[in-house]
Amino acid sequence: IDANLDNIKPLDGGTWDAGAGVITWPEVASLGVAAGDQVVVRFEARVKPGLDNGSALVNQASVTWQGAAAPVKSDDPVTPVVGDPTSLVVLSNIDFGKATKTVVDLNGGDARPGDELEYTIVVPNDGDAIGKNTIITDPLPPQLEAIVPADNGVLQGNTLTWQPGNIGPGESVTVKFKARLKKPLPAGVAVANQAQITAQGFAAPVLTDANLATPVREATVVSVVAKVDLSTSDWSWDDLNGGTVEPGDGLIFRLHLRNTGDALAVATQVKALFSATTLSDIQPFDGGLQVGEQVQWTVPLLDLSPNGDVELRFKATVKEGLANGTKITVVADIAGVLPPPQVTVQVDAKPKL
């Protein structure tokens, strides 16, 4: 009996010798030569699980009788060759189609920049063949850092690899890793991640799925919730003439933009609002543009404070003829920042006698 068969069950009075791997049937006292004279003996067996696709099951019986010079071997009637073994070809398949990847935010709540995530990859083999030399690879997205693989995973460059070896039919392998969302990140950015599984004989890798209920194999996506916070931005100023602020003095106004949130501020629109009744000769710096009683800037990218702080400046002249005690106010118009940062300078226009 072929070694790839088990659960051997002889019928018709046969006896199974597991040690020798042979079934023997009782001696037939007499067998005639007339048409239809025959003895039929049978056995049942199971094809062992996990056989490779294309494996051959080869079986051949032998018959002897009194006076026979040598045993006669059985013949496979479906082939033209006389006296050949009966052979069956195993059709089997490795099925990693239900491989999944899930993620949990270990900080709880929304996924925010700086949060620690734990990813879990589960690879079940729902086929009837062994997945040999199985390898799981996971190219990581650029928004992740501080990668800590578990379950013998190896990080090389920006790719994690596990080599669980063979995964038999009905077996499953689970691997995990932890990672941290970089800080800052743009609000609403989608951090997509999808692992790949290969095994011996695979023409193409199988991708993990975030949701088995949908027809398409989807990447596992973390939607980042982040916020820009410019509320600590403030003004400073200098009198280029020194001393008290007097009509005709030159002033430099500086707006210090500080992002204390956890999102990158992109293309931030900033306006400095002033009154032409108190300031003249406006000279914007740092890419600013005067439009009427405003100086306007667009800041392409504002990283987190303090390293990402940006200073926006403009120069102005205190108008002649202002009364003593006149207040010069400059207000910063920044979307989402209330109350708006502002600075007030008081004019000293006392007569000098």
Side-chain angles (χ1 to χ4, degrees), residues 8-32:
I8 309 300
K9 182 182 178 181
L11 305 174
D12 307 306
T15 303
W16 167 238
D17 183 345
V22 173
I23 301 174
T24 303
W25 281 269
E27 181 180 300
V28 178
S30 176
L31 183 60

Side-chain angles (χ1 to χ4, degrees), residues 301-324:
L301 186 67
L302 193 58
D303 210 330
L304 297 191
S305 185
N307 294 335
D309 291 357
V310 169
E311 185 177 82
L312 303 177
R313 301 166 298 155
F314 73 95
K315 180 182 176 182
T317 300
V318 178
K319 276 204 147 184
E320 298 285 356
L322 292 180
N324 183 53

Side-chain angles (χ1 to χ4, degrees), residues 101-103 119 121 137-141 144 158 160 177 190-195 208-210 218-222:
K101 183 172 191 179
T102 56
V103 61
Y119 288 87
I121 301 169
T137 57
D138 195 353
L140 302 175
L144 297 180
N158 211 38
L160 276 170
F177 71 94
V191 182
N193 189 219
Q194 194 166 30
T208 55
D209 193 6
E218 304 168 78
T220 300
V221 177
V222 174

Side-chain angles (χ1 to χ4, degrees), residues 23 34-35 40 48 51 66 101 107 122-123 133 181 185 199 218 225 283 285 324 328:
I23 301 174
V40 176
K48 287 184 177 180
L51 295 181
Q66 185 177 332
K101 183 172 191 179
N107 297 82
V122 180
V123 183
N133 301 322
L181 288 169
L185 288 173
E218 304 168 78
V225 176
Q283 184 179 352
F285 301 115
N324 183 53
I328 301 172

Side-chain angles (χ1 to χ4, degrees), residues 11-89:
L11 305 174
D12 307 306
T15 303
W16 167 238
D17 183 345
V22 173
I23 301 174
T24 303
W25 281 269
E27 181 180 300
V28 178
S30 176
L31 183 60
V33 296
D37 287 348
Q38 64 179 357
V39 172
V40 176
V41 293
R42 299 164 299 160
F43 73 95
E44 295 176 354
R46 184 186 71 161
V47 178
K48 287 184 177 180
L51 295 181
D52 291 340
N53 186 50
S55 297
L57 302 175
V58 181
N59 185 231
Q60 191 168 34
S62 61
V63 182
T64 188
W65 64 93
Q66 185 177 332
V72 174
K73 294 185 176 182
S74 62
D75 175 58
D76 184 352
V78 301
T79 68
V81 180
V82 177
D84 62 328
T86 300
S87 181
L88 297 174
V89 176

